[in-house]
């Protein structure tokens, strides 16, 4: 009889354990760090497809997008601090609701323009220095199985090349950018960033749908401060395969690597 009496107690203990575990995980994800997989090549070579990182939600404070399903019960932003130019940021797309990760290029009031593939901020060209060639194998990448874009024409299994340069922003932040080919977004008009909004670009400049593209054309456009979720500080894990369980595709040199 004792064993039968103990069964419901055991089930209740399990339910309580699962409940508290989920609650703690939810609080951790809401207040501190959110996991994020890199699904595309728009931020190469800073971030590669298959990189796994935690987004620092404490960096800029909290908005309704800080909670899962955008369920935080307030509008605006609390405990907010301004993001800095050059930060790698995860934000909620203003229209389609997907999470994006890009580099913050333009602050409120800035004038942003691309001229002959060179970024101009408030009328001044940023410093660009050649940094060799970025290479990767021309093969399907990630769970989506897409091929990378290349400046050359390799066959499957060949070496895919992109020109690499180091770009230095006005506040001294330096990062690598990639160039594939000449295209329309290499020469643009002037974007004037509205107050309370930010302008984002991918480091893989010719393979990034970002603020250079308007929202009504499938782009990101200007992103409201409220839509910013957090800052990407460090890559925790990286896998070049379709699944993290393919241990032979793990990139051990990227484990715990700082995002710059």
């Amino acid at each position: 009889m004792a064993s039968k009496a103990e069964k419901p107690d055991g089930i209740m203990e399990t339910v309580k354990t699962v409940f508290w575990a989920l609650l703690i995980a939810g609080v951790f994800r809401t207040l501190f760090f959110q996991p994020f997989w890199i699904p595309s090549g728009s931020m190469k070579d800073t971030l590669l497809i298959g990189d796994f990182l935690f987004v620092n939600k404490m960096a800029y404070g909290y908005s309704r997008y800080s909670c899962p399903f955008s369920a935080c019960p307030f509008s605006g932003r609390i405990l907010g601090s301004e993001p800095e130019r050059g930060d790698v940021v995860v934000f909620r797309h203003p229209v389609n609701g997907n999470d994006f990760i890009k580099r913050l290029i333009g602050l409120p009031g800035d004038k942003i323009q691309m001229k002959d593939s060179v970024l101009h901020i408030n009328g001044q060209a940023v410093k660009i220095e050649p940094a060799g060639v970025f290479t990767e194998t021309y093969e399907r990448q990630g769970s989506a199985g897409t091929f990378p874009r290349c400046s050359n024409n390799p066959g499957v299994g060949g070496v895919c090349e992109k020109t690499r340069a180091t770009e230095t922003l006005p506040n001294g932040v330096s990062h690598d950018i990639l160039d594939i080919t000449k295209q329309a977004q290499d020469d643009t008009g002037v974007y004037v960033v509205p107050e309370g909004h930010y302008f984002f670009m991918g480091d893989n400049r010719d393979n990034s749908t970002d603020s250079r593209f308007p929202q009504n054309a499938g782009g990101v456009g200007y992103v409201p401060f409220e839509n910013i979720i957090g800052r990407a500080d460090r890559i925790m894990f990286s896998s070049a395969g379709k699944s993290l369980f393919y241990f032979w595709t793990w990139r051990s040199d990227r484990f715990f690597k700082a995002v710059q």
Side-chain angles (χ1 to χ4, degrees):
M1 295 294 293
S3 61
K4 290 182 180 178
E6 289 170 0
K7 265 191 173 181
D9 291 342
I11 294 172
M12 284 305 300
E13 285 302 316
T14 301
V15 170
K16 289 178 182 178
T17 300
V18 171
F19 169 79
W20 284 111
L22 291 174
L23 181 62
I24 292 170
V27 170
F28 182 86
R29 186 183 185 281
T30 299
L31 296 181
F32 302 111
F33 298 98
Q34 175 179 321
F36 191 86
W37 281 99
I38 302 302
S40 74
S42 68
M43 282 295 293
K44 291 177 181 177
D45 63 346
T46 303
L47 299 172
L48 304 181
I49 294 175
D51 283 349
F52 174 78
L53 48 85
F54 282 106
V55 180
N56 181 355
K57 289 191 168 184
M58 299 174 285
Y60 312 126
Y62 305 95
S63 74
R64 65 190 181 97
Y65 297 106
S66 300
C67 294
F69 313 110
S70 305
C72 284
F74 53 84
S75 60
R77 200 164 199 94
I78 60 173
L79 304 177
S81 58
E82 297 290 329
E84 296 183 9
R85 196 191 313 274
D87 286 355
V88 177
V89 176
V90 171
F91 57 88
R92 185 67 46 83
H93 191 284
V95 176
N96 65 31
N98 293 328
D99 289 347
F100 278 59
I101 184 165
K102 306 288 182 185
R103 190 176 298 275
L104 197 162
I105 296 297
L107 304 175
D110 279 346
K111 296 179 179 179
I112 307 296
Q113 185 175 22
M114 295 293 294
K115 294 182 181 180
D116 195 22
S117 302
V118 177
L119 172 65
H120 288 65
I121 300 177
N122 297 324
Q124 298 294 318
V126 301
K127 182 180 177 182
I128 297 284
E129 295 179 302
V133 176
F134 172 73
T135 62
E136 58 186 334
T137 304
Y138 187 71
E139 61 185 1
R140 295 189 182 278
Q141 298 180 345
S143 58
T146 55
F147 285 99
R149 290 187 62 198
C150 316
S151 56
N152 60 336
N153 295 295
V156 176
V159 177
C160 173
E161 299 179 349
K162 301 174 186 61
T163 302
R164 178 166 52 195
T166 300
E167 179 179 85
T168 301
L169 300 175
N171 60 345
V173 173
S174 295
H175 58 277
D176 286 345
I177 57 172
L178 302 182
D179 181 70
I180 300 171
T181 186
K182 186 71 174 176
Q183 56 187 45
Q185 285 67 44
D186 293 333
D187 290 279
T188 71
V190 177
Y191 303 93
V192 181
V193 186
E195 287 302 315
H197 292 70
Y198 294 87
F199 191 97
F200 292 91
M201 294 175 67
D203 291 347
N204 192 3
R205 291 285 163 82
D206 293 335
N207 192 39
S208 174
T209 301
D210 49 39
S211 292
R212 291 172 293 176
F213 300 82
Q215 294 167 9
N216 60 11
V220 169
Y222 304 117
V223 178
F225 188 24
E226 183 182 35
N227 288 57
I228 289 179
I229 294 172
R231 185 181 65 215
D233 290 335
R234 190 170 297 274
I235 299 163
M236 305 304 295
F237 176 83
S238 185
S239 173
K242 293 184 67 174
S243 168
L244 64 88
F245 298 108
Y246 295 178
F247 63 87
W248 57 91
T249 68
W250 291 356
R251 306 181 184 107
S252 57
D253 61 319
R254 297 184 67 79
F255 289 13
F256 309 112
K257 181 179 181 181
V259 176
Q260 297 178 331

